[in-house]
Amino acid sequence: TSTAYDDTGITPNVVYWYVYWYKVRACNAAGCSAQSAPDSGYAQSATAGAPPTPVNVSASDGTYTDRVRVTWDAAPGADRYEVWRSTSYTGSYTLQTANLTATTYDDTNVTPGTTYYYKVRACSGHTQCGCGGFSIPESGYACTLPAKPTFTLSYDPGNGWVEVTWTMLSGLGYKLFRATAEAGPYTDLGFVTSPYYDTTVQTGSTYWYKLRVCNACGCTDSDPQSITP
């Protein structure tokens, strides 16, 4: 007979919420009216509220040349995740994706060599629960392969060696390869510094050389060059 009803015969969802739909109609001795328009309601469990902050957030450091991969542990009760990005730890973060259901995000809109900072938060699909707090920023970057190296070959008849020279750049490693045909196979002469003196050559024979430059991301080979002592 009152204008309020407490529905206690429901089971709150074990995660966050569960929606029920209700209609009301009025009745007297003459009969009952049409049903009202439906309206939804939900009951919250003891764990109701926004999902917790994602933990174990990690961003790849030079693992890929074309992306930064961000991963995290699943947050209880979350049905989507937001990933935010900035170019500084305390800078202005912008939303990269808002409806991610996986716990991995590949950021392909990156400039290799630039460090990015990422924050992740977990969200519930119900508007009353919303999103939890942001994770601590985690940095990551896409690696840059070294540029193709160039080198110069010369023969010193007085010493009987082929001299290989190039410009050494800081933070890079260099390997030299030699073959008796352009197609190879090439022999690995090991990590070397410029100038390198190849004393194992014979006059009248043609030798092909390739220089490989490497950093933490990977290696880049030069075009082959030949010389005949």
Side-chain angles (χ1 to χ4, degrees), residues 51-105:
T53 301
V55 296
N56 293 327
V57 178
S58 177
S60 59
D61 294 324
T63 306
Y64 308 96
T65 60
D66 61 346
R67 74 195 67 187
V68 176
R69 174 164 292 180
V70 187
T71 60
W72 58 91
D73 290 350
D79 52 24
R80 68 180 178 90
Y81 298 92
E82 293 181 354
V83 180
W84 296 66
R85 190 186 78 178
S86 176
T87 53
S88 67
Y89 187 88
T90 58
S92 176
Y93 285 78
T94 57
L95 180 64
Q96 303 300 298
T97 180
N99 295 299
L100 191 67
T101 57
T103 56
T104 299
Y105 172 68

Side-chain angles (χ1 to χ4, degrees), residues 26-173:
C27 300
N28 62 14
C32 296
S33 69
Q35 293 180 342
S36 67
D39 188 58
S40 63
Y42 67 97
Q44 291 184 334
S45 69
T47 58
T53 301
V55 296
N56 293 327
V57 178
S58 177
S60 59
D61 294 324
T63 306
Y64 308 96
T65 60
D66 61 346
R67 74 195 67 187
V68 176
R69 174 164 292 180
V70 187
T71 60
W72 58 91
D73 290 350
D79 52 24
R80 68 180 178 90
Y81 298 92
E82 293 181 354
V83 180
W84 296 66
R85 190 186 78 178
S86 176
T87 53
S88 67
Y89 187 88
T90 58
S92 176
Y93 285 78
T94 57
L95 180 64
Q96 303 300 298
T97 180
N99 295 299
L100 191 67
T101 57
T103 56
T104 299
Y105 172 68
D106 283 338
D107 184 6
T108 57
N109 185 26
V110 296
T111 300
T114 299
T115 298
Y116 299 92
Y117 295 85
Y118 298 89
K119 295 194 296 186
V120 182
R121 67 176 180 177
C123 302
S124 168
H126 199 281
T127 57
Q128 298 299 319
C129 295
C131 299
F134 284 107
S135 63
I136 297 173
E138 176 71 18
S139 64
Y141 62 91
C143 204
T144 306
L145 285 171
K148 181 184 292 188
T150 58
F151 61 96
T152 301
L153 297 175
S154 61
Y155 178 64
D156 184 343
N159 290 299
W161 62 45
V162 170
E163 182 177 344
V164 188
T165 58
W166 65 94
T167 301
M168 297 277 294
L169 299 178
S170 177
L172 301 178

Side-chain angles (χ1 to χ4, degrees), residues 187-203:
T187 300
D188 186 351
L189 301 180
F191 282 99
V192 293
T193 57
S194 179
Y196 176 81
Y197 303 101
D198 187 358
T199 61
T200 62
V201 297
Q202 297 179 356
T203 56

